[in-house]
Amino acid sequence: MSQLSIVVTCTDRKATAPAAELRVRELPAGQVDGRVAEWCRRIGSASDPRPLEQLYKGDHWVRAQRLPSVAAQVGFTADLWVASAGLGLQPVSAFAPAYGATFTPRHEDSVGHSFEERSVWWRLLQRERGAVTLTELANRGPVLLVLSEVYAAAMQNDLEALSSMKAEALLIGGARDLPHLPRVPADASLRSALGGTLTSLNARMAAWWLEHCSDSRLTAPETWDKLNKWVSEVSKEERYQRTPMTDQNVIAFIREGLAQNPSYSRTRLLRMLRDQGLACEQKRFAELYATVENR
């Protein structure tokens, strides 16, 4: 059987509440390197660690933990790995305490205020605590990455290194396309067909992909053909009750998005905003986008 490494995004929901000192919001202000060092010291000295498989909760995590068994049904021997803003890249069997750390912008426990800060945090955290790198996983066999947009953006340098290997790998979700890393973007129009919540959409898309893999090959052309046919049959646009935003918040969102990926179009950014349950009328968004572009 082919060895497959499955890398999934962690979740903010934990089995127990983190101690105050294990929330990023409680770190002292300062440069990223100092904050990472202090964070690693706190994580390393914390009591009551538990296996990651028991630490996280929620629909996304339930679905993520099922992926290895789905992979086994089509001929893979799969290991599950967790990409965590608080722990780096870890096997699901690793032990850690409950903690509060995320790459999500504007969250109280976000590890950085900008794309650059979050990328540096990930690089330094991986150096201090990461159990393995993506390129090391690729040397073992195919790699299936199931990553949210903000986590993939923070891990961009690692994804580029994986892409440069031209190894067999697939990204479900993610933030941007890379030359030698095929990607299946998150598609909210598939939620009704896949079931569950939007938070578990990427994990459910990954399960669908694995179920339709051909001859234990992760990126077989036949699987792409099946996906395209299926999407054309079941895709259904959904309408949501979205939260209105001030002009200042919309502008901040646009700037953050363009800092994360300068190639994002206005249409792409508006869709990202709406996928997060936020509201902005199309004409107003276009005017605010032009304001940002002209500065």
Side-chain angles (χ1 to χ4, degrees), residues 36-242:
V36 169
E38 174 61 16
W39 176 257
C40 290
R41 185 193 69 77
R42 295 184 183 189
I43 288 289
S45 61
S47 60
D48 193 30
R50 64 181 65 194
L52 298 187
E53 58 192 355
Q54 299 175 15
L55 179 63
Y56 302 114
K57 293 180 62 178
D59 190 30
H60 162 74
W61 188 242
V62 170
R63 292 291 164 176
Q65 288 195 95
R66 294 177 183 174
L67 293 177
S69 62
V70 176
Q73 294 172 14
V74 291
F76 292 108
T77 300
D79 294 323
L80 187 63
W81 298 80
V82 184
S84 162
L87 307 172
L89 187 53
Q90 300 289 341
V92 73
S93 58
F95 280 68
Y99 65 92
T102 182
F103 289 121
T104 303
R106 295 176 292 279
H107 189 287
E108 283 187 297
D109 288 319
S110 181
V111 300
H113 298 296
S114 67
F115 164 69
E116 290 78 11
E117 285 185 354
R118 294 189 290 274
S119 296
V120 172
W121 175 284
W122 175 257
R123 175 174 58 81
L124 296 177
L125 183 68
Q126 268 288 86
R127 188 178 69 187
E128 293 296 321
R129 294 197 57 88
V132 71
T133 66
L134 294 183
T135 53
E136 288 170 343
L137 290 180
N139 285 327
R140 304 176 186 180
V143 180
L144 174 62
L145 302 141
V146 187
L147 303 176
S148 68
E149 192 157 338
V150 292
Y151 274 67
M155 299 167 63
Q156 185 65 26
N157 290 337
D158 290 17
L159 294 174
E160 289 175 354
L162 176 63
S163 171
S164 68
M165 292 179 64
K166 300 182 181 179
E168 186 176 14
L170 177 70
L171 174 58
I172 305 287
R176 61 191 295 187
D177 295 332
L178 289 169
H180 305 291
L181 180 57
R183 182 167 79 101
V184 180
D187 188 346
S189 70
L190 300 177
R191 194 209 60 79
S192 59
L194 291 168
T197 63
L198 280 177
T199 58
S200 67
L201 178 63
N202 285 345
R204 290 170 183 269
M205 289 175 64
W208 188 99
W209 183 274
L210 288 171
E211 289 167 355
H212 294 83
C213 280
S214 301
D215 301 324
S216 299
R217 291 181 297 161
L218 183 62
T219 55
E222 294 87 347
T223 313
W224 288 102
D225 293 340
K226 293 175 186 176
L227 176 70
N228 292 332
K229 182 176 185 298
W230 178 72
V231 169
S232 68
E233 293 172 349
V234 305
S235 179
K236 180 180 178 182
E237 195 67 33
E238 295 186 339
R239 296 184 178 275
Y240 307 98
Q241 293 295 323
R242 297 188 171 98

